[in-house]
Amino acid sequence: MILGVIEHDRGKLNEASLEMLTLARTLGSPLEAVLIGADAGPFRETLKEYGVTKVYEVQHDQLGEYAPRAWGTSVVQLVRAKSPQAVLAAGTDRGNEVMAHVGAALGLPVAANCTEVRPGEGVYEVTRLRWGGSLLEDAELHGEPKLLTVAPHALSPEPASAGEVAVEAFRPTLDEKDLRVRVSAREEREREGVPLTEAKVVVGGGRGVGSAEGFKILEELAHLLGGAVGGSRVATNNGWRPHSDQIGQTGVQIAPDLYIACGISGAIQHIVGVKGAKYILAINKDPEAPIFQRADFGIVGDLHEVVPALVEEIKKRKSS
Amino acid sequence: MKVLVCIKRVPDTGARFELTPDGQEIDTRNLEFTISPHEECAVEEAIRLVEQHGGESVVLTLGPEAAAEQLREALAKGVDKGVLLETDGSEWDPVATAEAIAQAVQQLESEQGQGPFDLLLFGNESADAGYYQVGVRVADRLDRPCVAGIKALKVEDGKARAKREVPGGWEIYELPLPCVFTVKEGINVPRHPSLRGIMTAKKKEIRRLTPEKPTMQLVKRRLRKPPERGGECEILGEGVAAVPKAVEKLKEIGVI
């Protein structure tokens, strides 16, 4: 049996869990899923579509809010009761955190952010992301069961129903150590404009922008195109942009229709954040900048001249 | 307050990686080394906490003798002491790394005889291996509460209040001390070492321990490059003269 840990938050199933299930069902059968702190009801149909034949609904009165170790302990107790060959979760913040607790309790490593998994006798061959996806590692994963997380966006979620899905209640025994860490409150952020990860056009600024004020014209360009503004690590570390705008290995990964890279040299840590973009337009005054090797279109020039001219030209076209 | 921060020595990569011919490592012949980015922020957080609350900070790494360079960097920024868990430089899997760190923490704590470190800080994941689990494993091994991937931290009245960024907002966690966090870049902006800091760091103590290497259960076979994005870049022109052509392109691809 292959067990998938389903990630959800306040009634919403995480898309990355569907990618995980798509990979999980290639490893063996049956495919079963564990759902913690939520009723299986609303998720049942979707899980069935993705080939899950049984859902373990973990029931406990203290699991209304996310509690990392309690989630981990619940999975561990289910593993001990049902002996799956492999346990998978999405390679998200939560998925990696829960699996780390599972791995710690079982004394087994977790292969985080796998893109491919080839099951074998006693050993799995996995391909996993290193350097945020700038490099791939082929590795051997030992231990029983195999523990792994699936890199988000590594594959497309594809439904493949296996017929019916059963729901079975599972009651874990949780102690104070499991329950002392949990979400105790939440803060909502006020949203301004389109979120970076959902924008169809993203205008990114790097070292060449030079200051927080320098981003104003990038904002204007983004606004004209109905997009959002992001920055390289240089831009956020210099305080020109808030850190939540950072695109790259230690920030967000985006997949817009168009990414306009302004004054960005093209360090590999930044490029892994934008490799999902359909088109990249690079504006940089250094014709040797590596960004031109990754871009589809390029303008060799000073962004402080080119971007304002671009804004004017788009305005002119829009009004005519 | 006593804070222990764990870091990793990683190559400071630029625009591209080259691999060694056997595919085992990044070719680092022309590269400098640095502290992995999330951990640089963990170091900064440790220094700030001690500046604010008094006490002592200790920086620890598991790696080759050369990793002492990264300990010195942290000491130059203001950390008080260093601990090197010296290895032959080969890669340790997350189980082995966490076990060695947990044992070292226990040893340091029992020698000090002043109870546990109030906080153990880690990076959310190392830039190179990206295991995403060492901090959590150490926490569970030592039976301390832990939250991964935090971007804000405040310690008050024996409690730590931490925030984790999620889509659309923040999750808030409150943990009793002693506890463990893995931090993400963005929690602070790390300082550069001062000249005076660099001088004082030379005199600071680096303790060396040699952990035993166990059998690895996650074994690297080789590294390889993923297929690269790209192909031909069409240069539309130089400076503002290229703008009309660029706007045509934007129309062509349907964003205007």
Side-chain angles (χ1 to χ4, degrees):
Chain A
M1 185 262 278
I2 307 294
L3 182 67
V5 182
I6 302 302
E7 188 172 333
H8 61 88
D9 191 45
R10 290 170 287 175
K12 215 174 148 221
L13 194 70
N14 190 314
E15 178 89 353
S17 288
L18 301 180
E19 297 168 2
M20 177 275 289
L21 291 174
T22 305
L23 189 143
R25 65 174 187 247
T26 67
L27 302 182
S29 65
L31 174 61
E32 302 184 347
V34 50
L35 189 63
I36 303 166
D39 291 336
F43 302 118
R44 200 174 163 156
E45 270 311 298
T46 313
L47 296 177
K48 188 178 101 177
E49 271 173 42
Y50 280 81
V52 173
T53 55
K54 190 187 267 184
V55 182
Y56 298 101
E57 192 184 73
V58 175
Q59 298 175 346
H60 192 283
D61 59 358
Q62 301 285 304
L63 283 173
E65 261 295 7
Y66 175 62
R69 181 156 157 175
W71 278 47
T73 301
S74 301
V75 174
V76 167
Q77 290 175 5
L78 189 62
V79 165
R80 294 202 165 119
K82 308 289 174 186
S83 307
Q85 294 137 259
V87 184
L88 293 87
T92 54
D93 283 351
R94 279 192 182 182
N96 284 324
E97 183 177 42
V98 171
M99 291 302 284
H101 285 292
V102 173
L106 297 176
L108 296 173
V110 181
N113 289 310
C114 295
T115 57
E116 286 172 54
V117 182
R118 295 164 291 276
E121 268 313 303
V123 180
Y124 278 18
E125 282 178 35
V126 301
T127 301
R128 51 181 300 273
L129 302 184
R130 286 205 173 208
W131 293 95
S134 302
L135 280 183
L136 299 176
E137 174 194 10
D138 293 325
E140 281 176 8
L141 176 61
H142 297 255
E144 208 63 53
K146 306 293 182 290
L147 306 178
L148 37 110
T149 68
V150 178
H153 312 303
L155 69 168
S156 324
E158 277 169 35
S161 176
E164 276 315 300
V165 60
V167 176
E168 188 178 313
F170 184 81
R171 288 183 184 76
T173 311
L174 303 174
D175 64 18
E176 178 271 332
K177 280 174 184 160
D178 297 312
L179 292 162
R180 64 190 164 180
V181 178
R182 54 210 296 204
V183 177
S184 64
R186 288 167 186 276
E187 283 173 16
E188 304 296 323
R189 193 177 24 234
E190 269 183 52
R191 278 198 167 181
E192 281 179 32
V194 199
L196 197 51
T197 48
E198 291 164 31
K200 292 285 176 210
V201 178
V202 174
V203 182
R207 188 183 302 277
V209 176
S211 65
E213 296 73 56
F215 270 92
K216 280 193 183 135
I217 193 71
L218 274 60
E219 294 272 5
E220 200 174 340
L221 179 59
H223 182 72
L224 270 177
L225 299 170
V229 171
S232 70
R233 186 162 179 247
V234 176
T236 54
N237 275 6
N238 277 311
W240 304 339
R241 297 299 298 180
H243 188 272
S244 49
D245 285 357
Q246 187 186 308
I247 300 167
Q249 185 177 338
T250 51
V252 296
Q253 265 132 50
I254 56 168
D257 288 344
L258 174 67
Y259 179 59
I260 306 179
C262 307
I264 287 178
S265 66
I268 198 153
Q269 289 82 352
H270 182 71
I271 295 299
V272 291
V274 300
K275 64 181 178 189
K278 240 184 250 170
Y279 294 99
I280 296 178
L281 166 64
I283 303 169
N284 200 302
K285 60 184 175 188
D286 175 10
E288 302 299 321
I291 187 74
F292 288 118
Q293 288 159 27
R294 309 271 192 257
D296 301 277
F297 316 111
I299 298 175
V300 180
D302 186 346
L303 75 97
H304 300 284
E305 293 164 12
V306 174
V307 177
L310 203 51
V311 165
E312 282 318 305
E313 186 72 17
I314 294 169
K315 275 186 185 163
K316 221 163 67 190
R317 302 267 178 130
K318 280 199 162 180
S319 61
S320 69
Chain B
M1 171 170 307
K2 287 192 302 171
V3 185
L4 178 84
V5 55
C6 295
I7 62 170
K8 188 170 185 190
R9 168 184 170 89
V10 298
D12 192 358
T13 58
R16 56 191 316 130
F17 293 109
E18 289 307 329
L19 297 177
T20 54
D22 62 2
Q24 287 300 300
E25 308 289 342
I26 291 174
D27 185 348
T28 54
R29 279 176 303 180
N30 299 313
L31 297 179
E32 307 261 299
F33 284 82
T34 182
I35 300 172
S36 185
H38 295 308
E39 291 137 39
E40 252 190 280
C41 295
V43 167
E44 177 65 31
E45 203 62 22
I47 296 169
R48 287 188 193 185
L49 283 164
V50 171
E51 281 172 351
Q52 202 185 338
H53 299 272
E56 186 183 63
S57 54
V58 179
V59 58
L60 179 148
T61 193
L62 179 135
E65 160 60 28
E69 182 192 345
Q70 279 61 50
L71 294 176
R72 289 275 174 225
E73 193 182 327
L75 297 175
K77 290 179 177 195
V79 177
D80 299 307
K81 287 181 185 168
V83 179
L84 174 63
L85 306 184
E86 198 175 335
T87 69
D88 61 0
S90 64
E91 211 156 59
W92 286 42
D93 78 9
V95 181
T97 306
E99 182 58 30
I101 294 173
Q103 283 186 19
V105 169
Q106 284 176 322
Q107 185 181 340
L108 295 171
E109 288 178 345
S110 76
E111 286 172 6
Q112 290 170 350
Q114 300 159 10
F117 288 101
D118 297 288
L119 284 169
L120 305 183
L121 298 180
F122 293 81
N124 188 59
E125 87 277 1
S126 63
D128 59 345
Y131 292 137
Y132 288 81
Q133 58 197 286
V134 171
V136 175
R137 302 188 83 105
V138 172
D140 281 353
R141 169 71 166 67
L142 300 172
D143 250 332
R144 295 180 197 175
C146 172
V147 179
I150 63 158
K151 271 195 181 180
L153 175 62
K154 212 162 125 189
V155 178
E156 254 174 359
D157 309 325
K159 270 191 193 162
R161 188 181 153 89
K163 286 163 73 166
R164 173 148 87 182
E165 199 171 25
V166 291
W170 299 88
E171 289 172 348
I172 317 283
Y173 294 87
E174 273 183 14
L175 276 63
L177 300 181
C179 61
V180 181
F181 292 106
T182 81
V183 313
K184 276 194 179 178
E185 194 174 68
I187 190 170
N188 55 41
V189 177
R191 71 191 69 187
H192 294 290
S194 66
L195 196 57
R196 195 172 155 267
I198 295 168
M199 298 311 290
T200 1
K202 289 180 182 165
K203 294 188 206 102
K204 288 181 180 171
E205 175 200 339
I206 292 185
R207 176 84 185 274
R208 283 169 163 79
L209 300 171
T210 315
E212 219 168 288
K213 187 178 178 177
T215 311
M216 300 296 148
Q217 301 176 83
L218 178 60
V219 188
K220 177 175 71 183
R221 283 291 158 225
R222 65 173 185 142
L223 300 177
R224 57 192 166 93
K225 292 185 185 177
E228 268 180 20
R229 185 189 196 286
E232 281 304 285
C233 176
E234 184 186 342
I235 297 294
L236 304 173
E238 288 191 15
V240 293
V243 164
K245 216 168 163 186
V247 175
E248 281 309 311
K249 283 288 172 201
L250 299 191
K251 275 182 124 172
E252 247 176 68
I253 63 176
V255 299
I256 299 182

